Amino acid sequence: NPLAGRKGGHKGRARQYTSPEEIDAQLQAEKQKAREEEEQGEEDGDGAAGDPKKEKKSLDSDESEDEEDDYQQKRKGVEGLIDIENPNRVAQTTKKVTQLDLDGPKELSRREREEIEKQKAKERYMKMHLAGKTEQAKADLARLAIIRKQREEAAKKKEEEKKAKDDATLSGKRMQSLSLNK
């Protein structure tokens, strides 16, 4: 089979499954190790003098030290070896819930600002339009005036035609009545 040699990979290998008992044993070992480390840490800190840095941190609630420690821990790779002095770097300061200013004015996003401006512009345009100050409103009013004049003229013509017709019928009736009287 020519394709047999090309088929490399790990899909056909036998899988090894870890039994639940082995997993439990590993977890127990990790917990035991964590307990031992905690006990050793407590024994070291129980002395009369204790660790001055730990005492200071517990007494002093200065957050700048905590932030520096967090920054030191977050450094990855070469950053830990090289001390970088970047004047443009803005340190991320995490605010606590109690420090958040909920009453202050909210910063709107660009889309929200544009949406509000668009609505205000539309309202301003409608006010101007209703007052007859926009180009479109002026054109509409001129068109309406022309239509009114045309309708008035049409109504006058109709009225005149009606009068003429009435006059003609009246004069015709008079002629008939005169001819009958003879």
Side-chain angles (χ1 to χ4, degrees):
N1 191 356
L3 297 175
R6 292 186 195 169
K7 219 179 194 182
H10 60 278
K11 288 207 175 221
R13 289 188 192 153
R15 292 191 174 92
Q16 293 180 343
Y17 296 104
T18 310
S19 67
E21 292 83 20
E22 290 177 14
I23 293 173
D24 289 340
Q26 287 176 354
L27 288 173
Q28 291 295 331
E30 288 177 9
K31 285 182 184 177
Q32 185 66 27
K33 192 175 182 182
R35 278 191 212 131
E36 289 174 3
E37 287 177 1
E38 283 180 20
E39 288 173 4
Q40 286 179 355
E42 288 174 8
E43 289 173 5
D44 291 344
D46 280 347
D51 192 8
K53 275 191 179 178
K54 283 185 183 178
E55 286 178 18
K56 184 182 176 195
K57 275 195 179 181
S58 62
L59 294 174
D60 188 20
S61 64
D62 190 17
E63 293 161 0
S64 61
E65 286 183 10
D66 295 339
E67 290 172 6
E68 288 173 7
D69 290 345
D70 290 344
Y71 177 66
Q72 294 292 335
Q73 289 174 354
K74 288 180 186 174
R75 285 186 168 184
K76 295 176 185 170
V78 184
E79 282 184 31
L81 303 173
I82 303 169
D83 191 29
I84 299 170
E85 291 273 337
N86 185 355
N88 297 326
R89 184 185 174 279
V90 178
Q92 285 282 345
T93 56
T94 54
K95 288 187 175 181
K96 294 180 182 174
V97 178
T98 56
Q99 292 175 338
L100 288 177
D101 187 20
L102 297 175
D103 298 332
K106 280 191 174 180
E107 290 290 324
L108 297 175
S109 70
R110 179 183 56 82
R111 282 189 181 161
E112 290 172 337
R113 261 197 319 271
E114 287 176 357
E115 192 69 29
I116 291 170
E117 287 173 14
K118 192 187 279 186
Q119 286 176 351
K120 285 182 180 175
K122 200 177 250 186
E123 288 173 11
R124 260 186 269 124
Y125 180 79
M126 287 308 292
K127 283 182 184 175
M128 296 279 283
H129 188 73
L130 292 173
K133 294 180 181 176
T134 60
E135 294 294 323
Q136 189 177 357
K138 289 176 182 173
D140 289 346
L141 291 172
R143 208 175 312 123
L144 283 172
I146 293 169
I147 290 171
R148 279 191 192 125
K149 281 184 182 177
Q150 288 175 350
R151 287 184 180 164
E152 285 176 14
E153 290 170 8
K156 283 181 185 177
K157 280 185 183 177
K158 215 174 193 181
E159 192 76 27
E160 289 173 6
E161 288 174 6
K162 192 176 181 183
K163 277 187 179 178
K165 199 174 185 182
D166 287 344
D167 289 343
T169 53
L170 283 175
S171 63
K173 286 183 181 177
R174 284 183 194 154
M175 291 289 221
Q176 286 177 351
S177 62
L178 288 175
S179 62
L180 290 174
N181 289 339
K182 285 183 183 178

